[in-house]
């Protein structure tokens, strides 16, 4: 298959956010008749469109020199596929008869005595309406509110979504919310972590196998795509998919059929695909580790989930949400603790924040925190960045800071009553007493 035009900078992103204006842009294609009996006819290309002289053709032309079903135009993430349907007089591009090409930007074709022009147009959908939640995900920062607005718009469609972002940013939570908000919400949502499955088993995990097809295949298995039929499949860490398996995944996405390992029969599947990765796939493509055509097929809607360090406004909201979700009531993040959180790099992102809160509230399940080292004490008291500490020590300092600040807030809420504090926090009374003593706080018995 050849390319009819020069490659666009990012042809896979049919829906994108214009960084200059903040508006949402949608790329579409249309075919127009520029010469022939039907000059001036324009038709948008959605899905598959047949051009021919038959009345049932999607674009029915009066030109008697073209076949009943002459050429098929298919809108794809990487452009428009122009496929001649074994017509009598052929389809020509620049004087050359073609069988199949991809138009990424625009091109002019001859069919019989008619000239067709395929072109790309970009519609401005305006500013996405910001919102503070998307399913169970919450955010106060502009970046997350804007992201939620974009996902709200694309969820009802069947468009493939590619979520980029560091580990722990909540990509699976967003993927599940997209599924729930789609028309497939009551059908299966199947998750495959491409980085957690052995390379020798990933094909079976995705597509299934028949008994005896390889050592250990003691029974038939459908695989994730067949299990997700009618619903959504979430391909987490798609960047880890072995290069030799990528063409097989591409064929499934293009043809909508799956062939189990060891089986000749192809089975039709109807699934929406959402993929995610922490890798920069454009760099992976340039390095030859990820197929360009698969990237374009996945990146129909391309969004990036920002790391926690780039949306510090979300930390107080997330912290209070986690505390409340663990049955510990209301909690407002003190300013001093927020300053320390803001100085931290958060390599584990939202997942790390949640684990820190959970660990701090675990109470009796934890040994007392180690005494603060002189180095750490000087760093924190002088206002130096906590990132100047070793990772383990910095994390311990944050856990300890949160524990102390939570205890201070709880002490005030319960008027210093240790028994009430223990009930509110859901931890043993003697452990509360030990923590109050450790931090030199005043409480009543």
């Amino acid at each position: 298959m050849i390319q009819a035009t020069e490659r666009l900078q990012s042809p896979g992103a049919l829906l994108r956010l214009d960084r200059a204006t903040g508006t949402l842009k949608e790329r579409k294609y249309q075919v127009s008749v520029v010469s022939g009996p039907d000059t001036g006819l324009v038709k948008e290309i959605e899905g598959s469109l047949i051009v021919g002289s038959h009345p049932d053709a999607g674009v029915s032309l009066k030109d008697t020199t073209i076949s009943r079903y002459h050429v098929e135009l298919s809108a794809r993430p990487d452009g428009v596929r122009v496929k001649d349907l074994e017509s009598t007089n052929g389809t020509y591009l620049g004087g050359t008869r073609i069988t199949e090409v991809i138009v990424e930007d625009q091109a002019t074709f001859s069919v019989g005595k008619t000239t067709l022009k395929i072109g790309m147009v970009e519609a401005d959908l305006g500013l996405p309406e910001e919102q503070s939640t998307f399913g169970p995900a919450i955010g106060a920062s502009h970046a997350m509110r804007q992201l939620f607005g974009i996902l709200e718009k694309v969820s009802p469609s069947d468009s493939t979504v590619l979520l980029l972002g560091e580990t722990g940013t909540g990509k699976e939570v967003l993927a599940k919310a997209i599924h729930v908000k789609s028309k497939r919400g009551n059908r299966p949502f199947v998750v495959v972590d491409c980085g957690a499955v052995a390379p020798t088993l990933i094909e079976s995990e995705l597509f299934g196998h028949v008994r005896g097809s390889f050592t250990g295949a003691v029974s038939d298995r459908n695989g994730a795509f067949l299990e997700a039929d009618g619903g959504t499949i979430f391909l987490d860490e798609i960047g880890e998919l072995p290069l030799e398996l990528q063409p097989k995944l591409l064929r499934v996405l293009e043809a909508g059929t799956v062939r189990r390992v060891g089986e000749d029969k192809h089975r039709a599947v109807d699934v929406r695909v959402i993929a995610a990765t922490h890798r920069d796939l454009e760099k992976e493509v340039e390095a030859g580790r990820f197929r360009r055509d698969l990237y374009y097929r996945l990146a129909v809607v391309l969004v990036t989930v920002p790391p926690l360090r780039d949306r510090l406004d979300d930390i107080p909201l997330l912290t209070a949400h986690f505390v409340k979700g663990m049955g510990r009531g209301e909690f407002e993040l003190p300013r001093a603790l927020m300053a320390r959180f803001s100085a931290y790099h958060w390599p584990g992102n939202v997942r790390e924040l949640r684990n820190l809160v959970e660990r701090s509230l675990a109470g009796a399940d934890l040994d007392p925190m180690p005494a603060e080292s002189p180095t750490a004490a000087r760093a924190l008291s002088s206002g130096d960045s906590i990132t100047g500490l070793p990772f383990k020590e910095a994390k311990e300092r944050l856990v300890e800071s949160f524990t102390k600040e939570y205890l201070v807030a709880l002490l005030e809420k319960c008027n210093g009553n240790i028994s009430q504090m223990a009930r509110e926090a859901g931890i043993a009374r003697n452990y509360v007493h030990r923590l109050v003593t450790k931090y030199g706080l005043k409480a009543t018995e």
Side-chain angles (χ1 to χ4, degrees):
M1 189 182 301
I2 64 173
Q3 302 294 333
T5 57
E6 291 186 4
R7 187 175 302 282
L8 298 175
Q9 183 177 1
S10 184
L14 298 183
L15 192 70
R16 68 178 180 86
L17 193 67
D18 189 318
R19 294 182 181 180
T21 63
T23 58
L24 207 57
K25 305 281 188 176
E26 183 179 22
R27 185 161 58 92
K28 296 183 178 181
Y29 289 94
Q30 63 183 24
V31 57
S32 56
V33 180
V34 296
S35 70
D38 298 279
T39 298
L41 177 65
V42 178
K43 185 87 171 182
E44 188 172 303
I45 304 172
E46 291 183 321
S48 181
L49 185 67
I50 303 295
V51 178
S53 59
H54 195 280
D56 290 340
V59 179
S60 181
L61 303 178
K62 301 182 183 69
D63 188 347
T64 57
T65 63
I66 68 174
S67 298
R68 290 154 56 94
Y69 301 103
H70 195 105
V71 64
E72 180 184 32
L73 310 177
S74 302
R76 299 156 33 121
D78 55 347
V80 175
R81 183 182 67 178
V82 180
K83 182 179 181 182
D84 184 80
L85 299 177
E86 299 181 356
S87 62
T88 302
N89 295 323
T91 301
Y92 290 84
L93 169 66
T96 302
R97 185 166 183 169
I98 59 98
T99 301
E100 183 176 340
V101 297
I102 296 291
V103 178
E104 293 182 343
D105 191 355
Q106 63 179 16
T108 302
F109 297 86
S110 296
V111 290
K113 296 180 179 179
T114 295
T115 303
L116 302 175
K117 181 179 179 180
I118 295 172
M120 185 266 286
V121 293
E122 192 169 58
D124 192 331
L125 302 182
L127 292 167
E129 187 175 344
E130 295 187 12
Q131 53 191 65
S132 58
T133 63
F134 182 70
I138 60 174
S141 63
H142 171 68
M144 292 306 292
R145 291 172 60 88
Q146 190 176 62
L147 174 64
F148 294 161
I150 294 172
L151 295 181
E152 190 73 38
K153 279 185 174 289
V154 305
S155 292
S157 72
D158 271 340
S159 296
T160 303
V161 179
L162 179 59
L163 301 169
L164 304 179
E166 297 178 6
T167 300
T169 50
K171 298 188 291 294
E172 184 172 343
V173 172
L174 295 176
K176 181 63 181 292
I178 293 172
H179 167 72
V180 170
K181 289 176 174 287
S182 74
K183 61 186 179 183
R184 301 171 181 266
N186 60 348
R187 304 304 300 273
F189 177 75
V190 178
V191 179
V192 178
D193 187 341
C194 299
V197 182
T200 55
L201 297 177
I202 187 67
E203 184 175 3
S204 171
E205 182 75 19
L206 290 172
F207 312 132
H209 63 255
V210 296
R211 180 181 178 184
S213 56
F214 56 86
T215 302
V218 296
S219 62
D220 289 358
R221 181 181 180 183
N222 276 336
F225 270 90
L226 288 170
E227 290 175 0
D229 192 25
T232 303
I233 186 169
F234 176 51
L235 303 176
D236 198 10
E237 294 302 345
I238 189 68
E240 312 306 312
L241 190 69
L243 189 61
E244 62 273 15
L245 192 58
Q246 292 176 23
K248 296 182 180 181
L249 174 59
L250 180 62
R251 282 195 293 272
V252 172
L253 300 181
E254 294 285 2
T257 60
V258 169
R259 184 175 67 85
R260 298 189 300 177
V261 177
E263 186 176 56
D264 294 330
K265 177 183 177 182
H266 284 77
R267 301 167 182 262
V269 290
D270 172 26
V271 298
R272 182 187 193 173
V273 176
I274 302 174
T277 181
H278 72 281
R279 295 187 180 277
D280 185 331
L281 284 192
E282 290 192 358
K283 288 184 179 179
E284 294 295 299
V285 168
E286 294 303 320
R289 292 188 291 266
F290 201 85
R291 288 182 62 103
R292 187 180 299 274
D293 47 6
L294 178 58
Y295 170 67
Y296 291 159
R297 184 60 183 82
L298 292 171
V300 176
V301 178
L302 179 64
V303 295
T304 300
V305 185
L308 186 57
R309 62 182 172 276
D310 289 346
R311 47 186 174 107
L312 296 175
D313 291 348
D314 290 340
I315 292 182
L317 181 67
L318 289 168
T319 302
H321 174 72
F322 293 145
V323 171
K324 188 174 182 180
M326 295 170 192
R328 307 300 169 88
E330 302 293 337
F331 177 75
E332 183 176 348
L333 197 65
R335 185 176 299 176
L337 184 57
M338 181 61 200
R340 294 180 183 180
F341 278 18
S342 299
Y344 187 53
H345 188 65
W346 296 107
N349 291 291
V350 177
R351 183 182 298 140
E352 183 179 7
L353 175 62
R354 188 188 190 285
N355 289 344
L356 182 151
V357 173
E358 185 174 18
R359 182 178 175 185
S360 296
L361 299 183
D365 295 332
L366 287 176
D367 291 329
M369 289 293 171
E372 201 170 273
S373 69
T375 302
R378 285 194 299 270
L380 292 178
S381 62
S382 65
D384 292 343
S385 172
I386 200 170
T387 55
L389 301 173
F391 171 75
K392 183 178 180 181
E393 190 172 6
K395 190 171 183 178
E396 291 297 338
R397 298 286 72 73
L398 285 176
V399 173
E400 176 131 354
S401 294
F402 180 85
T403 304
K404 180 179 179 180
E405 297 292 350
Y406 176 77
L407 212 64
V408 169
L410 193 63
L411 196 69
E412 183 178 352
K413 180 180 180 180
C414 299
N415 296 316
N417 188 294
I418 288 184
S419 297
Q420 186 179 346
M421 290 171 65
R423 287 193 296 271
E424 288 279 346
I427 58 179
R429 186 182 182 281
N430 63 344
Y431 187 72
V432 174
H433 189 275
R434 183 171 48 176
L435 289 176
V436 166
T437 302
K438 174 184 177 182
Y439 294 117
L441 303 175
K442 293 182 179 181
T444 60
E445 294 299 327

